[in-house]
Amino acid sequence: MSTTHSARLMDGTALARRITERTTARAAAVTRRRGAAPCLATVLVGDDPASVTYVRMKRARCESVGITSRHVPLPAATTTAELVATITALSEDPGVDGILLQHPAGPHIDERAAFEAIDPAKDVDGVTMRSFAAMSFGLPGFVSCTPGGIMRLLEEYEVDLAGRHAVVVGRSAILGRPAGMLLLGRDATVTYCHSRTADVGTLVREADVVVAAVGRPRFVRGEDVKPGAVVIDAGYNAGNVGDVDFETARTRASLITPVPGGVGPMTIAVLLEQTVEAAERSLPA
Ligand code: NAP
């Protein structure tokens, strides 16, 4: 009787819960020591329903761990200059520990200019150029939350990255690009694929570690996964479908993240953790 191999699942829900429990205790300690809870400012331009939902969800999670959230809703017609001024004021406000600008902020906004108005010490979402540089050089700083969550999963499951070939499919500023940099920092040999890459499948077939961050359902074909490879699916598409063909990939991979319950819960866990860390840094030594 033959049995089909099935990869071990990387349980992001459980790991995120453990991280969040520690974050809750740390937030309480900050509140005790300085008499004010850690505070995350959330900035939302316009009323895109998905963005409204994301921000509401993030604020609810903040409350549940003892982080205060200060919401700053701005009209859709807000200019880049107005947004930059708002974020600069939050950067200078000693009552704010972390700043999250929900993106996309709108087609008329110079999003890079807005991100750069975030004080790197409050960049708990890891979106500024300085945070990216620190991440890339392996220096202290806040990481991009989803790539940071991916690295925590790889650590938790003791995936040895040194000398392994990691293929990252996607190069967005918040996901693929920083994920590749963090993998490089752990001595993986990193290949990036993007929309101009000639043959993604050939590269995936050579990968010891695959990170899928494409935004296309089941884009990474299961039959391209090298037997024994570690598969991280950061994708989240309609109908709870990832960027990897999970059912086939799991018959070949050694470890794989499910969707949902893999990378998704890690992103918010890292955001909360980094917000408390920013608050801890404000405490007198
Ligand atoms: P994005 O900004 O749209 O970037 C997609 C990337 O995929 C781009 O670099 C693009 O290449 C590349 N790509 C598109 N078509 C391709 C193709 N045919 N072949 C190879 N590469 C291709 O998306 P994102 O924000 O990084 O998000 C990616 C996925 O992760 C989405 O499913 C999103 O929902 C999910 N996500 C999850 C979380 C979480 O918390 N779990 C957080 C953020 C995003 P170019 O650069 O050449 O255009």
Side-chain angles (χ1 to χ4, degrees):
M1 192 178 74
S2 74
T3 50
T4 309
H5 165 81
S6 190
R8 185 174 170 210
L9 297 184
M10 300 171 88
D11 187 345
T13 305
L15 178 56
R17 191 181 306 121
R18 288 196 292 278
I19 292 171
T20 304
E21 277 166 13
R22 286 196 296 274
T23 299
T24 306
R26 288 167 64 184
V30 168
T31 308
R32 266 196 311 276
R33 281 189 61 188
R34 70 175 193 189
C39 174
L40 176 71
T42 55
V43 181
L44 175 64
V45 181
D47 55 4
D48 169 67
S51 295
V52 169
T53 305
Y54 284 136
V55 170
R56 190 184 302 131
M57 199 183 73
K58 288 170 189 171
R59 296 187 66 210
R61 293 298 305 280
C62 280
E63 298 300 328
S64 72
V65 301
I67 295 172
T68 306
S69 68
R70 188 195 296 182
H71 188 47
V72 184
L74 297 171
T78 302
T79 64
T80 296
E82 288 164 343
L83 180 57
V84 166
T86 300
I87 293 175
T88 302
L90 294 169
S91 288
E92 290 166 358
D93 185 337
V96 170
D97 297 299
I99 301 170
L100 177 126
L101 168 62
Q102 183 63 39
H103 51 100
H108 65 294
I109 296 273
D110 178 351
E111 213 167 70
R112 183 44 48 201
F115 283 144
E116 294 311 313
I118 299 174
D119 177 349
K122 300 186 180 187
D123 181 20
V124 294
D125 205 19
V127 294
T128 63
M129 290 198 280
R130 192 177 165 124
S131 296
F132 183 82
M135 210 165 16
S136 304
F137 290 133
L139 296 170
F142 292 121
V143 296
S144 238
C145 293
T146 305
I150 289 171
M151 299 310 289
R152 297 289 281 275
L153 273 169
L154 291 169
E155 277 159 29
E156 178 71 13
Y157 286 86
E158 296 176 340
V159 176
D160 184 13
L161 293 166
R164 312 290 294 282
H165 186 191
V167 172
V168 182
V169 190
R171 58 171 170 181
S172 72
I174 57 145
L175 217 179
R177 212 172 279 244
M181 283 298 152
L182 292 172
L183 290 162
L184 182 65
R186 296 281 308 277
D187 296 326
T189 301
V190 179
T191 300
Y192 284 100
C193 300
H194 47 79
S195 64
R196 306 293 296 273
T197 299
D199 188 353
V200 175
T202 299
L203 292 162
V204 169
R205 282 195 288 279
E206 292 170 3
D208 302 307
V209 178
V210 183
V211 176
V214 202
R216 290 173 180 240
R218 301 188 185 92
F219 180 83
V220 171
R221 302 181 334 164
E223 56 266 40
D224 288 338
V225 170
K226 186 162 98 175
V230 174
V231 178
I232 304 287
D233 189 349
Y236 187 68
N237 307 289
N240 279 341
V241 175
D243 288 352
V244 174
D245 173 13
F246 179 82
E247 287 309 328
T248 311
R250 77 182 302 187
T251 66
R252 300 172 67 84
S254 57
L255 284 166
I256 190 167
T257 56
V259 177
V263 174
M266 295 301 297
T267 301
I268 181 87
V270 172
L271 173 72
L272 300 173
E273 183 181 54
Q274 294 197 137
T275 302
V276 171
E277 203 174 310
E280 286 170 344
R281 289 185 196 167
S282 77
L283 294 170

PDB file of all heavy atoms in Angstrom, residues 171-201:
ATOM      1  N   ARG A 171       8.662  41.010  -5.818  1.00  0.00           N
ATOM      2  CA  ARG A 171       9.692  41.956  -5.365  1.00  0.00           C
ATOM      3  C   ARG A 171       9.071  43.249  -4.861  1.00  0.00           C
ATOM      4  O   ARG A 171       9.658  44.329  -5.018  1.00  0.00           O
ATOM      5  CB  ARG A 171      10.672  42.243  -6.505  1.00  0.00           C
ATOM      6  CG  ARG A 171       9.984  42.806  -7.732  1.00  0.00           C
ATOM      7  CD  ARG A 171      10.957  43.285  -8.786  1.00  0.00           C
ATOM      8  NE  ARG A 171      10.241  43.584 -10.031  1.00  0.00           N
ATOM      9  CZ  ARG A 171      10.831  44.001 -11.135  1.00  0.00           C
ATOM     10  NH1 ARG A 171      12.134  44.164 -11.173  1.00  0.00           N
ATOM     11  NH2 ARG A 171      10.119  44.246 -12.219  1.00  0.00           N
ATOM     12  N   SER A 172       7.864  43.163  -4.294  1.00  0.00           N
ATOM     13  CA  SER A 172       7.235  44.400  -3.813  1.00  0.00           C
ATOM     14  C   SER A 172       8.023  44.949  -2.629  1.00  0.00           C
ATOM     15  O   SER A 172       8.742  44.219  -1.943  1.00  0.00           O
ATOM     16  CB  SER A 172       5.780  44.138  -3.400  1.00  0.00           C
ATOM     17  OG  SER A 172       5.745  43.403  -2.203  1.00  0.00           O
ATOM     18  N   ALA A 173       7.856  46.256  -2.413  1.00  0.00           N
ATOM     19  CA  ALA A 173       8.623  46.939  -1.373  1.00  0.00           C
ATOM     20  C   ALA A 173       8.297  46.420   0.021  1.00  0.00           C
ATOM     21  O   ALA A 173       9.146  46.436   0.911  1.00  0.00           O
ATOM     22  CB  ALA A 173       8.353  48.446  -1.445  1.00  0.00           C
ATOM     23  N   ILE A 174       7.054  45.951   0.218  1.00  0.00           N
ATOM     24  CA  ILE A 174       6.665  45.520   1.561  1.00  0.00           C
ATOM     25  C   ILE A 174       6.838  44.021   1.781  1.00  0.00           C
ATOM     26  O   ILE A 174       6.769  43.555   2.901  1.00  0.00           O
ATOM     27  CB  ILE A 174       5.183  45.872   1.870  1.00  0.00           C
ATOM     28  CG1 ILE A 174       4.248  45.244   0.827  1.00  0.00           C
ATOM     29  CG2 ILE A 174       4.976  47.361   2.000  1.00  0.00           C
ATOM     30  CD1 ILE A 174       2.933  44.807   1.400  1.00  0.00           C
ATOM     31  N   LEU A 175       7.046  43.289   0.697  1.00  0.00           N
ATOM     32  CA  LEU A 175       7.045  41.836   0.885  1.00  0.00           C
ATOM     33  C   LEU A 175       8.231  41.114   0.226  1.00  0.00           C
ATOM     34  O   LEU A 175       9.180  40.729   0.911  1.00  0.00           O
ATOM     35  CB  LEU A 175       5.696  41.279   0.387  1.00  0.00           C
ATOM     36  CG  LEU A 175       5.078  40.126   1.163  1.00  0.00           C
ATOM     37  CD1 LEU A 175       3.748  39.718   0.565  1.00  0.00           C
ATOM     38  CD2 LEU A 175       5.979  38.956   1.298  1.00  0.00           C
ATOM     39  N   GLY A 176       8.186  40.987  -1.083  1.00  0.00           N
ATOM     40  CA  GLY A 176       9.218  40.184  -1.740  1.00  0.00           C
ATOM     41  C   GLY A 176      10.619  40.718  -1.522  1.00  0.00           C
ATOM     42  O   GLY A 176      11.534  39.974  -1.136  1.00  0.00           O
ATOM     43  N   ARG A 177      10.792  42.011  -1.762  1.00  0.00           N
ATOM     44  CA  ARG A 177      12.134  42.603  -1.702  1.00  0.00           C
ATOM     45  C   ARG A 177      12.743  42.471  -0.298  1.00  0.00           C
ATOM     46  O   ARG A 177      13.856  41.944  -0.163  1.00  0.00           O
ATOM     47  CB  ARG A 177      12.058  44.060  -2.150  1.00  0.00           C
ATOM     48  CG  ARG A 177      13.274  44.553  -2.848  1.00  0.00           C
ATOM     49  CD  ARG A 177      13.012  45.937  -3.420  1.00  0.00           C
ATOM     50  NE  ARG A 177      12.299  45.892  -4.689  1.00  0.00           N
ATOM     51  CZ  ARG A 177      12.803  46.315  -5.849  1.00  0.00           C
ATOM     52  NH1 ARG A 177      14.019  46.813  -5.889  1.00  0.00           N
ATOM     53  NH2 ARG A 177      12.092  46.249  -6.952  1.00  0.00           N
ATOM     54  N   PRO A 178      12.029  42.933   0.749  1.00  0.00           N
ATOM     55  CA  PRO A 178      12.622  42.753   2.085  1.00  0.00           C
ATOM     56  C   PRO A 178      12.754  41.286   2.499  1.00  0.00           C
ATOM     57  O   PRO A 178      13.706  40.927   3.193  1.00  0.00           O
ATOM     58  CB  PRO A 178      11.673  43.509   3.017  1.00  0.00           C
ATOM     59  CG  PRO A 178      10.444  43.799   2.236  1.00  0.00           C
ATOM     60  CD  PRO A 178      10.822  43.778   0.798  1.00  0.00           C
ATOM     61  N   ALA A 179      11.837  40.424   2.045  1.00  0.00           N
ATOM     62  CA  ALA A 179      11.964  38.996   2.393  1.00  0.00           C
ATOM     63  C   ALA A 179      13.287  38.462   1.853  1.00  0.00           C
ATOM     64  O   ALA A 179      14.018  37.739   2.545  1.00  0.00           O
ATOM     65  CB  ALA A 179      10.784  38.197   1.834  1.00  0.00           C
ATOM     66  N   GLY A 180      13.627  38.831   0.616  1.00  0.00           N
ATOM     67  CA  GLY A 180      14.891  38.375   0.021  1.00  0.00           C
ATOM     68  C   GLY A 180      16.086  38.895   0.807  1.00  0.00           C
ATOM     69  O   GLY A 180      17.063  38.164   1.022  1.00  0.00           O
ATOM     70  N   MET A 181      16.006  40.140   1.246  1.00  0.00           N
ATOM     71  CA  MET A 181      17.116  40.729   2.007  1.00  0.00           C
ATOM     72  C   MET A 181      17.308  40.007   3.346  1.00  0.00           C
ATOM     73  O   MET A 181      18.435  39.770   3.780  1.00  0.00           O
ATOM     74  CB  MET A 181      16.838  42.218   2.269  1.00  0.00           C
ATOM     75  CG  MET A 181      17.082  43.070   1.059  1.00  0.00           C
ATOM     76  SD  MET A 181      18.823  42.968   0.577  1.00  0.00           S
ATOM     77  CE  MET A 181      18.679  43.269  -1.150  1.00  0.00           C
ATOM     78  N   LEU A 182      16.212  39.683   4.005  1.00  0.00           N
ATOM     79  CA  LEU A 182      16.318  38.977   5.294  1.00  0.00           C
ATOM     80  C   LEU A 182      16.885  37.567   5.093  1.00  0.00           C
ATOM     81  O   LEU A 182      17.684  37.092   5.896  1.00  0.00           O
ATOM     82  CB  LEU A 182      14.950  38.932   5.997  1.00  0.00           C
ATOM     83  CG  LEU A 182      14.431  40.292   6.487  1.00  0.00           C
ATOM     84  CD1 LEU A 182      12.992  40.177   6.982  1.00  0.00           C
ATOM     85  CD2 LEU A 182      15.323  40.856   7.597  1.00  0.00           C
ATOM     86  N   LEU A 183      16.480  36.927   4.010  1.00  0.00           N
ATOM     87  CA  LEU A 183      17.023  35.596   3.710  1.00  0.00           C
ATOM     88  C   LEU A 183      18.517  35.683   3.405  1.00  0.00           C
ATOM     89  O   LEU A 183      19.310  34.846   3.852  1.00  0.00           O
ATOM     90  CB  LEU A 183      16.270  34.977   2.526  1.00  0.00           C
ATOM     91  CG  LEU A 183      14.821  34.561   2.825  1.00  0.00           C
ATOM     92  CD1 LEU A 183      14.027  34.392   1.530  1.00  0.00           C
ATOM     93  CD2 LEU A 183      14.797  33.263   3.632  1.00  0.00           C
ATOM     94  N   LEU A 184      18.904  36.718   2.662  1.00  0.00           N
ATOM     95  CA  LEU A 184      20.323  36.930   2.362  1.00  0.00           C
ATOM     96  C   LEU A 184      21.101  37.135   3.657  1.00  0.00           C
ATOM     97  O   LEU A 184      22.212  36.616   3.826  1.00  0.00           O
ATOM     98  CB  LEU A 184      20.456  38.163   1.454  1.00  0.00           C
ATOM     99  CG  LEU A 184      21.850  38.538   0.968  1.00  0.00           C
ATOM    100  CD1 LEU A 184      22.421  37.447   0.060  1.00  0.00           C
ATOM    101  CD2 LEU A 184      21.804  39.873   0.221  1.00  0.00           C
ATOM    102  N   GLY A 185      20.498  37.886   4.587  1.00  0.00           N
ATOM    103  CA  GLY A 185      21.125  38.120   5.886  1.00  0.00           C
ATOM    104  C   GLY A 185      21.335  36.846   6.681  1.00  0.00           C
ATOM    105  O   GLY A 185      22.169  36.794   7.581  1.00  0.00           O
ATOM    106  N   ARG A 186      20.591  35.818   6.348  1.00  0.00           N
ATOM    107  CA  ARG A 186      20.767  34.512   7.014  1.00  0.00           C
ATOM    108  C   ARG A 186      21.572  33.562   6.123  1.00  0.00           C
ATOM    109  O   ARG A 186      21.523  32.351   6.288  1.00  0.00           O
ATOM    110  CB  ARG A 186      19.395  33.914   7.337  1.00  0.00           C
ATOM    111  CG  ARG A 186      18.575  34.752   8.340  1.00  0.00           C
ATOM    112  CD  ARG A 186      19.036  34.519   9.769  1.00  0.00           C
ATOM    113  NE  ARG A 186      19.059  33.111  10.051  1.00  0.00           N
ATOM    114  CZ  ARG A 186      17.986  32.392  10.418  1.00  0.00           C
ATOM    115  NH1 ARG A 186      16.832  32.990  10.585  1.00  0.00           N
ATOM    116  NH2 ARG A 186      18.092  31.095  10.629  1.00  0.00           N
ATOM    117  N   ASP A 187      22.311  34.159   5.186  1.00  0.00           N
ATOM    118  CA  ASP A 187      23.268  33.424   4.344  1.00  0.00           C
ATOM    119  C   ASP A 187      22.642  32.484   3.315  1.00  0.00           C
ATOM    120  O   ASP A 187      23.306  31.561   2.824  1.00  0.00           O
ATOM    121  CB  ASP A 187      24.288  32.641   5.202  1.00  0.00           C
ATOM    122  CG  ASP A 187      25.153  33.579   6.025  1.00  0.00           C
ATOM    123  OD1 ASP A 187      25.449  34.682   5.526  1.00  0.00           O
ATOM    124  OD2 ASP A 187      25.496  33.223   7.156  1.00  0.00           O
ATOM    125  N   ALA A 188      21.370  32.714   3.001  1.00  0.00           N
ATOM    126  CA  ALA A 188      20.790  31.981   1.865  1.00  0.00           C
ATOM    127  C   ALA A 188      21.327  32.596   0.573  1.00  0.00           C
ATOM    128  O   ALA A 188      21.759  33.749   0.557  1.00  0.00           O
ATOM    129  CB  ALA A 188      19.272  32.075   1.899  1.00  0.00           C
ATOM    130  N   THR A 189      21.306  31.816  -0.495  1.00  0.00           N
ATOM    131  CA  THR A 189      21.618  32.337  -1.823  1.00  0.00           C
ATOM    132  C   THR A 189      20.272  32.680  -2.450  1.00  0.00           C
ATOM    133  O   THR A 189      19.424  31.798  -2.609  1.00  0.00           O
ATOM    134  CB  THR A 189      22.353  31.265  -2.651  1.00  0.00           C
ATOM    135  OG1 THR A 189      23.531  30.910  -1.947  1.00  0.00           O
ATOM    136  CG2 THR A 189      22.695  31.779  -4.045  1.00  0.00           C
ATOM    137  N   VAL A 190      20.071  33.965  -2.743  1.00  0.00           N
ATOM    138  CA  VAL A 190      18.712  34.429  -3.045  1.00  0.00           C
ATOM    139  C   VAL A 190      18.530  34.754  -4.531  1.00  0.00           C
ATOM    140  O   VAL A 190      19.360  35.438  -5.125  1.00  0.00           O
ATOM    141  CB  VAL A 190      18.367  35.674  -2.196  1.00  0.00           C
ATOM    142  CG1 VAL A 190      16.967  36.176  -2.527  1.00  0.00           C
ATOM    143  CG2 VAL A 190      18.477  35.353  -0.710  1.00  0.00           C
ATOM    144  N   THR A 191      17.458  34.254  -5.086  1.00  0.00           N
ATOM    145  CA  THR A 191      17.052  34.633  -6.442  1.00  0.00           C
ATOM    146  C   THR A 191      15.679  35.300  -6.348  1.00  0.00           C
ATOM    147  O   THR A 191      14.785  34.778  -5.676  1.00  0.00           O
ATOM    148  CB  THR A 191      16.926  33.389  -7.352  1.00  0.00           C
ATOM    149  OG1 THR A 191      18.192  32.733  -7.410  1.00  0.00           O
ATOM    150  CG2 THR A 191      16.491  33.777  -8.761  1.00  0.00           C
ATOM    151  N   TYR A 192      15.551  36.453  -6.957  1.00  0.00           N
ATOM    152  CA  TYR A 192      14.245  37.108  -7.046  1.00  0.00           C
ATOM    153  C   TYR A 192      13.611  36.813  -8.402  1.00  0.00           C
ATOM    154  O   TYR A 192      14.276  36.924  -9.434  1.00  0.00           O
ATOM    155  CB  TYR A 192      14.395  38.632  -6.971  1.00  0.00           C
ATOM    156  CG  TYR A 192      14.674  39.205  -5.610  1.00  0.00           C
ATOM    157  CD1 TYR A 192      15.964  39.568  -5.240  1.00  0.00           C
ATOM    158  CD2 TYR A 192      13.646  39.428  -4.703  1.00  0.00           C
ATOM    159  CE1 TYR A 192      16.223  40.140  -4.008  1.00  0.00           C
ATOM    160  CE2 TYR A 192      13.893  39.995  -3.462  1.00  0.00           C
ATOM    161  CZ  TYR A 192      15.190  40.355  -3.116  1.00  0.00           C
ATOM    162  OH  TYR A 192      15.432  40.909  -1.901  1.00  0.00           O
ATOM    163  N   CYS A 193      12.316  36.514  -8.401  1.00  0.00           N
ATOM    164  CA  CYS A 193      11.552  36.434  -9.646  1.00  0.00           C
ATOM    165  C   CYS A 193      10.512  37.547  -9.633  1.00  0.00           C
ATOM    166  O   CYS A 193      10.025  37.927  -8.574  1.00  0.00           O
ATOM    167  CB  CYS A 193      10.810  35.110  -9.757  1.00  0.00           C
ATOM    168  SG  CYS A 193      11.866  33.659  -9.734  1.00  0.00           S
ATOM    169  N   HIS A 194      10.189  38.040 -10.801  1.00  0.00           N
ATOM    170  CA  HIS A 194       9.196  39.115 -10.914  1.00  0.00           C
ATOM    171  C   HIS A 194       8.494  38.978 -12.255  1.00  0.00           C
ATOM    172  O   HIS A 194       8.709  37.977 -12.964  1.00  0.00           O
ATOM    173  CB  HIS A 194       9.865  40.478 -10.739  1.00  0.00           C
ATOM    174  CG  HIS A 194      11.115  40.612 -11.544  1.00  0.00           C
ATOM    175  ND1 HIS A 194      11.098  40.873 -12.882  1.00  0.00           N
ATOM    176  CD2 HIS A 194      12.418  40.449 -11.190  1.00  0.00           C
ATOM    177  CE1 HIS A 194      12.340  40.893 -13.328  1.00  0.00           C
ATOM    178  NE2 HIS A 194      13.165  40.641 -12.325  1.00  0.00           N
ATOM    179  N   SER A 195       7.704  39.976 -12.604  1.00  0.00           N
ATOM    180  CA  SER A 195       6.861  39.813 -13.791  1.00  0.00           C
ATOM    181  C   SER A 195       7.661  39.743 -15.088  1.00  0.00           C
ATOM    182  O   SER A 195       7.143  39.311 -16.108  1.00  0.00           O
ATOM    183  CB  SER A 195       5.839  40.952 -13.872  1.00  0.00           C
ATOM    184  OG  SER A 195       6.508  42.178 -14.051  1.00  0.00           O
ATOM    185  N   ARG A 196       8.921  40.129 -15.052  1.00  0.00           N
ATOM    186  CA  ARG A 196       9.747  40.068 -16.268  1.00  0.00           C
ATOM    187  C   ARG A 196      10.665  38.844 -16.268  1.00  0.00           C
ATOM    188  O   ARG A 196      11.462  38.679 -17.191  1.00  0.00           O
ATOM    189  CB  ARG A 196      10.586  41.353 -16.398  1.00  0.00           C
ATOM    190  CG  ARG A 196       9.774  42.640 -16.347  1.00  0.00           C
ATOM    191  CD  ARG A 196       8.865  42.796 -17.555  1.00  0.00           C
ATOM    192  NE  ARG A 196       9.616  42.922 -18.790  1.00  0.00           N
ATOM    193  CZ  ARG A 196      10.087  44.070 -19.285  1.00  0.00           C
ATOM    194  NH1 ARG A 196       9.854  45.195 -18.637  1.00  0.00           N
ATOM    195  NH2 ARG A 196      10.770  44.103 -20.401  1.00  0.00           N
ATOM    196  N   THR A 197      10.582  38.029 -15.249  1.00  0.00           N
ATOM    197  CA  THR A 197      11.430  36.828 -15.189  1.00  0.00           C
ATOM    198  C   THR A 197      10.978  35.849 -16.279  1.00  0.00           C
ATOM    199  O   THR A 197       9.778  35.581 -16.425  1.00  0.00           O
ATOM    200  CB  THR A 197      11.319  36.163 -13.796  1.00  0.00           C
ATOM    201  OG1 THR A 197      11.777  37.108 -12.827  1.00  0.00           O
ATOM    202  CG2 THR A 197      12.147  34.900 -13.703  1.00  0.00           C
ATOM    203  N   ALA A 198      11.968  35.337 -17.021  1.00  0.00           N
ATOM    204  CA  ALA A 198      11.634  34.539 -18.208  1.00  0.00           C
ATOM    205  C   ALA A 198      10.939  33.226 -17.846  1.00  0.00           C
ATOM    206  O   ALA A 198       9.913  32.887 -18.428  1.00  0.00           O
ATOM    207  CB  ALA A 198      12.901  34.282 -19.013  1.00  0.00           C
ATOM    208  N   ASP A 199      11.484  32.477 -16.887  1.00  0.00           N
ATOM    209  CA  ASP A 199      10.925  31.154 -16.624  1.00  0.00           C
ATOM    210  C   ASP A 199      10.942  30.883 -15.124  1.00  0.00           C
ATOM    211  O   ASP A 199      11.892  30.303 -14.594  1.00  0.00           O
ATOM    212  CB  ASP A 199      11.731  30.096 -17.395  1.00  0.00           C
ATOM    213  CG  ASP A 199      11.081  28.721 -17.304  1.00  0.00           C
ATOM    214  OD1 ASP A 199      10.100  28.573 -16.541  1.00  0.00           O
ATOM    215  OD2 ASP A 199      11.578  27.802 -17.979  1.00  0.00           O
ATOM    216  N   VAL A 200       9.884  31.316 -14.467  1.00  0.00           N
ATOM    217  CA  VAL A 200       9.822  31.184 -13.011  1.00  0.00           C
ATOM    218  C   VAL A 200       9.888  29.711 -12.607  1.00  0.00           C
ATOM    219  O   VAL A 200      10.574  29.335 -11.656  1.00  0.00           O
ATOM    220  CB  VAL A 200       8.526  31.841 -12.465  1.00  0.00           C
ATOM    221  CG1 VAL A 200       8.391  31.611 -10.970  1.00  0.00           C
ATOM    222  CG2 VAL A 200       8.505  33.334 -12.788  1.00  0.00           C
ATOM    223  N   GLY A 201       9.206  28.852 -13.365  1.00  0.00           N
ATOM    224  CA  GLY A 201       9.138  27.436 -13.008  1.00  0.00           C
ATOM    225  C   GLY A 201      10.518  26.795 -12.897  1.00  0.00           C
ATOM    226  O   GLY A 201      10.791  26.041 -11.965  1.00  0.00           O
TER     227      GLY A 201
END
